[in-house]
């Protein structure tokens, strides 16, 4: 059962977290490329706003699907009897920080920039740079979690 749960956990991480990390990383640059004032929807230039809107939607939807990753992770850890291991506690902590960062800083700032662009207002480069910074931190946290999951200090697998 542990191998099945671990497989589902890894697949959920790839399918749910992967798209968020890519779309969130692309968002700031895409927002900067939108010409202002934005033309009427469907007219020239409107495609850029649609791209930014799509990237935000990908982040929002897949962030919701990402809830399955820790749920399956806890089920896997329980079946393996490693719930108290330090590497797992560190991974859970980093995952919670990453989720908080996404919910409190990345998604709201994306929404603000998207509203600005939809209203035909230019976005300040400093705002997109800050968003890129928060997105980079989010991605870095996921990289650290991935490394912890692979290395697993104290692992008995010999790898």
């Amino acid at each position: 059962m542990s191998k099945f749960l671990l497989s589902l956990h890894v697949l959920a991480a790839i399918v749910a977290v992967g798209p968020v990390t890519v779309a969130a990383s692309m968002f700031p640059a895409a927002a900067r490329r939108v010409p202002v004032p934005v033309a009427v929807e469907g007219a020239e230039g409107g495609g850029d706003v649609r791209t930014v809107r799509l990237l935000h939607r990908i982040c929002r939807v897949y962030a919701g699907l990402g809830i399955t990753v820790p749920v399956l992770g806890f089920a896997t850890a329980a079946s393996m009897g490693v719930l108290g291991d330090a590497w797992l506690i560190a991974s859970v902590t980093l995952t919670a920080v990453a989720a908080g960062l996404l919910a409190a800083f990345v998604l709201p700032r994306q929404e603000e920039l998207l509203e600005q662009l939809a209203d035909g207002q230019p976005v300040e480069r400093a705002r997109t740079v800050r968003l890129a910074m928060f997105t980079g931190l989010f991605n870095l946290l996921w990289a650290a979690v991935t490394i912890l999951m692979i290395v697993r200090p104290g692992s008995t697998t010999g790898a």
Side-chain angles (χ1 to χ4, degrees):
M1 184 60 138
S2 293
K3 289 181 182 182
F4 177 71
L5 287 171
L6 181 59
S7 297
L8 289 178
H9 173 64
V10 171
L11 285 171
I14 292 167
V15 170
V17 179
V20 175
T21 60
V22 173
S25 295
M26 294 173 64
F27 187 96
R32 282 192 294 267
R33 283 194 300 269
V34 174
V36 177
V38 176
V40 176
E41 191 71 30
E44 189 175 336
D48 290 330
V49 173
R50 286 191 300 266
T51 299
V52 173
R53 189 174 288 124
L54 175 64
L55 290 171
H56 175 63
R57 183 180 170 118
I58 290 169
C59 290
R60 219 172 3 104
V61 169
Y62 282 92
L65 293 174
I67 299 298
T68 60
V69 177
V71 169
L72 289 167
F74 277 116
T76 303
S79 74
M80 294 172 72
V82 295
L83 282 173
D85 287 7
W87 66 269
L88 184 71
I89 294 167
S91 294
V92 169
T93 301
L94 292 175
T95 298
V97 172
L101 192 62
L102 182 66
F105 294 99
V106 175
L107 293 176
R109 280 176 170 73
Q110 285 182 351
E111 289 171 11
E112 291 168 6
L113 290 172
L114 189 54
E115 286 174 15
Q116 245 185 301
L117 291 170
D119 291 341
Q121 300 171 7
V123 295
E124 296 175 30
R125 181 167 175 78
R127 293 185 74 201
T128 61
V129 168
R130 276 191 299 276
L131 175 58
M133 178 194 65
F134 289 124
T135 300
L137 289 173
F138 170 78
N139 293 344
L140 185 62
L141 288 167
W142 276 115
V145 169
T146 302
I147 291 167
L148 281 171
M149 291 291 157
I150 293 168
V151 173
R152 297 179 316 174
S155 171
T156 58
T157 63

